[in-house]
C-alpha cells in the first residue's frame, strides 16, 4: 500500500547511497555511456517546450472527466470524476522524468514503442517526439482519459500515436499480437505486484538484445519493490538501473554477469 512518509524516507536513503550520475566508479562501458549521454544530457530539446507548454494548459484545466480505476497508482483508489488539472498534477509523469524518457527514445531510436498507461498523453508525446519514425502504441484503461490524450496528441501535431483502450488484462495480449519486436517499453499502470510481473512476462516474449524496458514507481509500495526485485532477477535481464522513481532494464548479452546499479537522478 502507498505510504507517502515511507516513500519520502526511502528516497532519502536512496539519494544518500546511490552512485553519482557523473559516472565515477562505474565499470561497465554501456552503463557509463548511458549515464553520460542520456542521464547527463543537458541539451534543451525543442520537444521539451512543446510538451511542457501543453502541461501548463492541463494544470489550469478545471474540466471534469470520468476515470475508471483499474490499478493502484492513481492515488484515489476508486473510479469517479476528477478534474483534468488534478490528473495532470498527480498522475502525469513530471517534466524531469518525461524528458529523460524522451532522451532515451532519442538516443536509442527504437522502431516500436509500447506504453502501458497513457494518462493525459504527456509521456506518450515525449516518446513519439524522441523517436519520430517509431511506431508508438499507448494503452489506457479509462476511456475518458484516452479521449483527452487523443485531443492532446492533435494539439501537438502527433497524429500517428495509436491508442488501445481498456483494462490491460483484457487488451495487452491482443495488442502484442500485432507487434513482432518491442524495442522500448514504458510500464506505468496498475502498480501492483502480480499484474506488473505478469505484464513483464508477456512483454518479455517480444524483447530482444537491444530492447529497453522502463518501469514507473518501482519503490511506490512494498508490492512494487517486490515486483521490481523479481523482474531484475529474471535470467534474461542482464542490466538494471534504479533511479528510484524509474527502473530501467536491458537484455544485452554483452553482460556476462548481471549488472545492477542504483544511480542518483
Amino acid at each position: 500500500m502507498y505510504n507517502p512518509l515511507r516513500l519520502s524516507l526511502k528516497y532519502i536513503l536512496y539519494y544518500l547511497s546511490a552512485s553519482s550520475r557523473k559516472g565515477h566508479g562505474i565499470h561497465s562501458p554501456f552503463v557509463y555511456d548511458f549515464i553520460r549521454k542520456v542521464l547527463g544530457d543537458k541539451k534543451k530539446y525543442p520537444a521539451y517546450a512543446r510538451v511542457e507548454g501543453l502541461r501548463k494548459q492541463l494544470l489550469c484545466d478545471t474540466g471534469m472527466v470520468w476515470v475508471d480505476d483499474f490499478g493502484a497508482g492513481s492515488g484515489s483508489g476508486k473510479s469517479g470524476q476528477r478534474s483534468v488539472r488534478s490528473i495532470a498534477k498527480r498522475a502525469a509523469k513530471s517534466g524531469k522524468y518525461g524528458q529523460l524518457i524522451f532522451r532515451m527514445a532519442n538516443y536509442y531510436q527504437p522502431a516500436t514503442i509500447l506504453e502501458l498507461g497513457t494518462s493525459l498523453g504527456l509521456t506518450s508525446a515525449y516518446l513519439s517526439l524522441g523517436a519520430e519514425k517509431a511506431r508508438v502504441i499507448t494503452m489506457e484503461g479509462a476511456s475518458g482519459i484516452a479521449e483527452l490524450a487523443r485531443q492532446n496528441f492533435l494539439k501537438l501535431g502527433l497524429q500517428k500515436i495509436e491508442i488501445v483502450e481498456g483494462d490491460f488484462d483484457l487488451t495487452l495480449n491482443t495488442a502484442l499480437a500485432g507487434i513482432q519486436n518491442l524495442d522500448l517499453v514504458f510500464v506505468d499502470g496498475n502498480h501492483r505486484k502480480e499484474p506488473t510481473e505478469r505484464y513483464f512476462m508477456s512483454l518479455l516474449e517480444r524483447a530482444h538484445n537491444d530492447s529497453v524496458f522502463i518501469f514507473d514507481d518501482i519503490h511506490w509500495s512494498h508490492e512494487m519493490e517486490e515486483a521490481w526485485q523479481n523482474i531484475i532477477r529474471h535470467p534474461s535481464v542482464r542490466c538494471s538501473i534504479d533511479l528510484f522513481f524509474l527502473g530501467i532494464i536491458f537484455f544485452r548479452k554483452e553482460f556476462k554477469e548481471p549488472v545492477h546499479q542504483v544511480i542518483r537522478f
Side-chain angles (χ1 to χ4, degrees), residues 78-139:
K78 59 182 179 180
S79 300
Q81 281 199 328
R82 294 175 212 161
S83 68
V84 174
R85 68 180 181 185
S86 72
I87 298 170
K89 183 177 180 179
R90 299 179 64 181
K93 210 65 194 159
S94 71
K96 175 181 177 179
Y97 291 95
Q99 288 162 21
L100 170 60
I101 290 170
F102 165 89
R103 295 197 297 274
M104 293 181 67
N106 184 64
Y107 186 71
Y108 294 114
Q109 286 299 306
T112 302
I113 297 172
L114 177 65
E115 177 185 40
L116 274 67
T118 312
S119 189
L120 297 174
L122 297 176
T123 308
S124 320
Y126 270 128
L127 287 165
S128 183
L129 290 167
E132 294 184 343
K133 295 181 180 180
R135 179 189 180 192
V136 180
I137 307 103
T138 183
M139 304 181 66

Side-chain angles (χ1 to χ4, degrees), residues 2-262:
Y2 173 64
N3 183 318
L5 178 59
R6 172 192 171 277
L7 191 65
S8 297
L9 293 174
K10 293 281 291 188
Y11 181 79
I12 292 171
L13 291 173
Y14 150 81
Y15 192 84
L16 293 174
S17 61
S19 300
S20 167
R21 66 171 167 172
K22 293 183 179 180
H24 301 315
I26 301 296
H27 301 294
S28 163
F30 179 83
V31 176
Y32 183 81
D33 191 63
F34 173 82
I35 292 171
R36 298 305 298 269
K37 295 182 179 180
V38 181
L39 284 186
D41 183 358
K42 304 294 185 183
K43 182 178 177 181
K44 299 296 184 183
Y45 292 90
Y48 294 0
R50 290 176 64 183
V51 180
E52 294 309 311
L54 174 60
R55 187 193 303 273
K56 288 181 180 178
Q57 295 177 32
L58 296 172
L59 286 169
C60 297
D61 190 336
T62 58
M64 303 298 290
V65 60
W66 181 267
V67 177
D68 301 302
D69 195 289
F70 294 107
S74 68
S76 71
K78 59 182 179 180
S79 300
Q81 281 199 328
R82 294 175 212 161
S83 68
V84 174
R85 68 180 181 185
S86 72
I87 298 170
K89 183 177 180 179
R90 299 179 64 181
K93 210 65 194 159
S94 71
K96 175 181 177 179
Y97 291 95
Q99 288 162 21
L100 170 60
I101 290 170
F102 165 89
R103 295 197 297 274
M104 293 181 67
N106 184 64
Y107 186 71
Y108 294 114
Q109 286 299 306
T112 302
I113 297 172
L114 177 65
E115 177 185 40
L116 274 67
T118 312
S119 189
L120 297 174
L122 297 176
T123 308
S124 320
Y126 270 128
L127 287 165
S128 183
L129 290 167
E132 294 184 343
K133 295 181 180 180
R135 179 189 180 192
V136 180
I137 307 103
T138 183
M139 304 181 66
E140 174 54 49
S143 60
I145 293 182
E147 181 55 35
L148 283 174
R150 283 192 186 88
Q151 296 173 21
N152 291 333
F153 297 153
L154 289 175
K155 290 177 182 177
L156 293 173
L158 303 173
Q159 300 178 0
K160 296 194 298 180
I161 298 177
E162 304 168 39
I163 301 181
V164 177
E165 291 184 35
D167 186 339
F168 300 159
D169 289 346
L170 303 176
T171 58
L172 180 57
N173 288 337
T174 301
L176 289 174
I179 300 171
Q180 184 174 2
N181 292 310
L182 288 170
D183 303 309
L184 192 153
V185 175
F186 179 44
V187 180
D188 179 18
N190 201 299
H191 288 69
R192 293 190 177 100
K193 177 178 181 290
E194 188 276 332
T196 299
E197 293 180 10
R198 181 158 36 85
Y199 300 155
F200 168 68
M201 294 305 297
S202 295
L203 298 165
L204 188 60
E205 295 178 7
R206 284 164 175 74
H208 54 83
N209 187 71
D210 297 324
S211 295
V212 182
F213 284 14
I214 308 166
F215 291 85
D216 188 42
D217 286 336
I218 58 173
H219 295 283
W220 190 81
S221 66
H222 286 300
E223 275 198 69
M224 285 302 293
E225 288 187 326
E226 289 176 3
W228 172 246
Q229 289 302 316
N230 289 338
I231 286 168
I232 66 175
R233 283 197 291 262
H234 192 280
S236 66
V237 176
R238 309 309 297 160
C239 176
S240 72
I241 296 177
D242 181 341
L243 304 177
F244 193 80
F245 290 108
L246 290 180
I248 305 162
I249 61 174
F250 301 93
F251 303 89
R252 301 176 69 91
K253 292 181 174 60
E254 67 197 62
F255 292 96
K256 302 306 180 185
E257 297 294 332
V259 172
H260 303 296
Q261 294 283 165
V262 181

